[in-house]
Amino acid sequence: MPHPLRIGLAGLGNVGAGVVRLLADNADLVARRADRPVVVTAVSARDRNRNRNLDLAPYAWVDDATELAGRDDVDVVVELIGGSDGPALTLARRSIDAGKALVTANKAMLAHHGLDLAARAEARGTALRYEAAVAGGIPIIKALGEGMAANRIDRVYGLLNGTCNYILTRMESERLAFATVLAEAQAAGFAEADPSFDIDGIDTAHKLAILAALAFGSRIDFGSVATQGIRAIELADLDQAAALGFRIKLVGLAENLDGTLFQRVHPALVPLDHPLAAASGALNAVAAEGDFVGRLFFQGRGAGEGPTASAVVADLVDIARGVTTHPFGMPVAALTALPTADPASRRGRYYLRLTVADRPGVLAELTAALRDHGVSIESLVQRGQSASGDAMVVMITHVSAEVAVLASLAQMQGSDAVTGAPVMMHILDF
Amino acid sequence: MPHPLRIGLAGLGNVGAGVVRLLADNADLVARRADRPVVVTAVSARDRNRNRNLDLAPYAWVDDATELAGRDDVDVVVELIGGSDGPALTLARRSIDAGKALVTANKAMLAHHGLDLAARAEARGTALRYEAAVAGGIPIIKALGEGMAANRIDRVYGLLNGTCNYILTRMESERLAFATVLAEAQAAGFAEADPSFDIDGIDTAHKLAILAALAFGSRIDFGSVATQGIRAIELADLDQAAALGFRIKLVGLAENLDGTLFQRVHPALVPLDHPLAAASGALNAVAAEGDFVGRLFFQGRGAGEGPTASAVVADLVDIARGVTTHPFGMPVAALTALPTADPASRRGRYYLRLTVADRPGVLAELTAALRDHGVSIESLVQRGQSASGDAMVVMITHVSAEVAVLASLAQMQGSDAVTGAPVMMHILDF
């Protein structure tokens, strides 16, 4: 058997420990598939003595993770430190520049510095791989970059954050308020103490920017992702959506619109018969549309020790097999810089929810605002809300220009009959 | 730019024509992703003059497809002739033995001769790739062989035949009999004039045997696939299944059961909240369970010109990139010969439907037969059938040994109260 592929592992949190365990548990299988053993030789983490239920004695310990880049007994550096800059980025650059392959699960780093790292890897003729950075165990990087490589892909979208999906699923199934589920998830360790990366959509935006680049052959453009999270979602929205045949999900959506790049993270109404609607709990799901293949749909666990370790080691197996394709599916120099799409050109159906004073003439005011901007209404429901005396009005528009709906909404907000902040969500009609 | 990858294409049916069209339409995109142009240089088909809406003038025409194997202007032979033996097999062997890469969509050939072809490819150090052979445009070969390579996979299953899925979906949605939908599908060209490969499950069995080998690292064993098709499914079964919360699908299921190989193609009751249940019409869908990644689910179009061409060209892009991994994910010599699982060890819940004379004591007879073999009943429905005067009895068993359910069924069939052939189906409880 040829010489082993030797791994230097930076970061021994859940995922890092999972990688060590996987390479031990499935050592024979991985060696058969990789055509040679894949072995950890050196590890680094902040705290050597933290209990991880792992015997670290077989591995060289390195206090400063960036030193992994210079070790002669390391062929591949696996970066699981996290953070867009700082030690993760230093380690990544040094490793690649030293000619070592780099495997990372760090979506924030890739969203900000992915092109720089990929160009360095191409210049050195080494591999940069990141299957674990998006959608956990789902091999979506491989599917977009290799499996769909024959296709012009103009749309990719999905549920890329397990915490948000878990919160929305529990709100719906157990009829709980957002804040209640979030607090429970934090207590149970499913959500971070500072949950804003997840629930404000930033984590989804990082992943979306990576998928868009890979799908469209375009340069990563994290800065142009319009991002809205799930804090404003109320149980009433979930109920109204369900009554109308939809389920609310935090959707990351990227489109190549006639050579412009549309990227948005937002809560959206997904029809119940769409496969995304059925991806519940902490699952991730991705749909991608190719001009020859049509729509492909992928679903699996998006986070956690096992799925993420599975993705990291899949990259290691590819590297062991000698696969060193371009990190973004084509040379960085061949990626197109797409201008940002004009959101004003967007059309679709929209969901609107308003809290209004329960008095005569209010509905006439609301519907006039829509009429004034040429927006027609597909359905409208008004319900009294016993506690406050206010009423809730929910509307679904026909397909309309988004700017027109926004203008209507602004006009409605000028009315003193509208008492709460209105909610507007997109309907996923594809 | 480096020299182009030159393709010799055998077979110009829908898929072959689709490959030619894709390589023309997406030539620039494919070249960017493959790092070099991918061009067809020579083609072969039975009838040169058939109208395909293709200009064949740019390509050398070869009357005898097997001659593609010897051409100096061909790097990769794409075999789209079909058939497990005959010219397809001759072409495949000659091409590989001549050191050319082979791409094929031929599941029958692979199910019967895949190991022989893979061993030849390994001996010559060339590529044998077959993404298009299973589940059309879904990159399931790549997902199992590469994306899930870190995992011990013990179960893979799915809907692998679009014709069967289309027939079952139309029977349910339009309340039509099997024979009616089949005849319409044949008239519309969706189903073959001789539909038995599809509706008797043989096509699914070919694909399943390939997936099992790749998933389990085992030798292809098409001969041990127990195969049952959908001819016996009646509208009454679909209705009863729906009333109980299930949808009937033709499922190919392979499991590694403690080192034995279980492979079965059969109509099964899929719970409505299982993602397989939502894959309707001509869609294909595959679920695979890995020890670290958990269950991954893939869905997409399983046949047709576009999806199949997409899969063929994905293989060509990999070959253009220099990827020549083992066809079955590890060397053929490393694949395990798993003994066939004993079906008698199978346990599960089962659906039974019987047509019985509507007279006192019949239910007592049926339930006694189950009791005599230790099978307990989870639910039972009896309905009178006005036309014949007979009654229909539908039962769902608790988890039981399959042999016990079969023995009960045999005992019931001995009763003169049972007037029609009973139907027994598995319930997919995972």
Side-chain angles (χ1 to χ4, degrees), chain A residues 258-386:
Chain A
D258 301 322
T260 65
L261 179 62
F262 177 84
Q263 298 179 107
R264 188 179 269 175
V265 175
H266 58 340
L269 271 68
V270 180
L272 287 174
D273 63 356
H274 192 291
L276 277 191
S280 61
L283 286 174
N284 276 202
V286 182
E289 297 173 5
D291 58 349
F292 276 76
V293 76
R295 183 174 80 187
L296 290 176
F297 177 73
F298 307 87
Q299 181 183 296
R301 288 162 64 196
E305 175 179 325
T308 314
S310 167
V312 167
V313 178
D315 282 345
L316 295 174
V317 169
D318 268 353
I319 290 167
R321 287 167 170 172
V323 176
T324 49
T325 48
H326 295 291
F328 288 95
M330 60 182 71
V332 169
L335 297 170
T336 314
L338 295 180
T340 304
D342 176 8
S345 65
R346 192 102 197 130
R347 294 177 61 82
R349 291 196 298 159
Y350 295 85
Y351 164 97
L352 303 174
R353 175 172 59 80
L354 296 106
T355 308
V356 297
D358 196 358
R359 61 162 169 77
V362 171
L363 267 190
E365 262 188 85
L366 300 183
T367 52
L370 291 163
R371 178 206 60 207
D372 291 351
H373 296 90
V375 176
S376 63
I377 300 169
E378 183 181 301
S379 57
L380 185 151
V381 177
Q382 175 174 351
R383 283 186 210 282
Q385 295 190 316
S386 51

Side-chain angles (χ1 to χ4, degrees), chain B residues 149-225:
Chain B
N151 291 268
R152 181 183 163 94
I153 303 172
D154 279 336
R155 181 183 284 148
V156 59
Y157 59 105
L159 318 180
L160 301 172
N161 183 277
T163 303
C164 286
N165 207 29
Y166 170 84
I167 290 174
L168 292 172
T169 299
R170 279 205 64 200
M171 285 175 70
E172 182 184 346
S173 63
E174 301 179 35
R175 307 202 47 71
L176 297 170
F178 171 80
T180 309
V181 179
L182 175 60
E184 286 187 20
Q186 286 174 307
F190 299 141
E192 304 288 331
D194 174 3
S196 66
F197 256 52
D198 290 323
I199 64 176
D200 292 331
I202 300 160
D203 174 74
T204 301
H206 285 146
K207 294 165 177 170
L208 184 68
I210 296 167
L211 292 186
L214 197 56
F216 308 149
S218 55
R219 294 179 64 83
I220 296 175
D221 187 2
F222 173 67
S224 81
V225 184

Side-chain angles (χ1 to χ4, degrees), chain A residues 415-430:
Chain A
S415 160
D416 59 8
V418 174
T419 57
V423 172
M424 169 175 164
M425 281 185 277
H426 305 244
I427 294 180
L428 208 72
D429 271 325
F430 39 77

Side-chain angles (χ1 to χ4, degrees), chain A residues 33 35 142 146 151 326, chain B residues 33 35 142 146 151 326:
Chain A
R33 293 204 173 124
D35 251 354
K142 189 171 274 292
E146 304 172 24
N151 292 267
H326 295 291
Chain B
R33 292 203 175 123
D35 250 354
K142 189 171 275 289
E146 304 172 24
N151 291 268
H326 295 291

Side-chain angles (χ1 to χ4, degrees), chain A residues 135 137-139 278-280 283-284 298-302 307, chain B residues 148 151 153 155-157 270-271 273-277 286-298 428-430:
Chain A
I138 304 174
S280 61
L283 286 174
N284 276 202
F298 307 87
Q299 181 183 296
R301 288 162 64 196
Chain B
M148 296 181 75
N151 291 268
I153 303 172
R155 181 183 284 148
V156 59
Y157 59 105
V270 180
D273 63 355
H274 192 290
L276 276 192
V286 182
E289 297 173 5
D291 58 350
F292 276 77
V293 76
R295 182 173 80 187
L296 290 177
F297 176 73
F298 308 87
L428 208 72
D429 272 325
F430 40 76

Side-chain angles (χ1 to χ4, degrees), chain A residues 1-4 31-32 35-37:
Chain A
M1 190 164 273
H3 62 95
R32 279 163 76 205
D35 251 354
R36 52 176 166 145

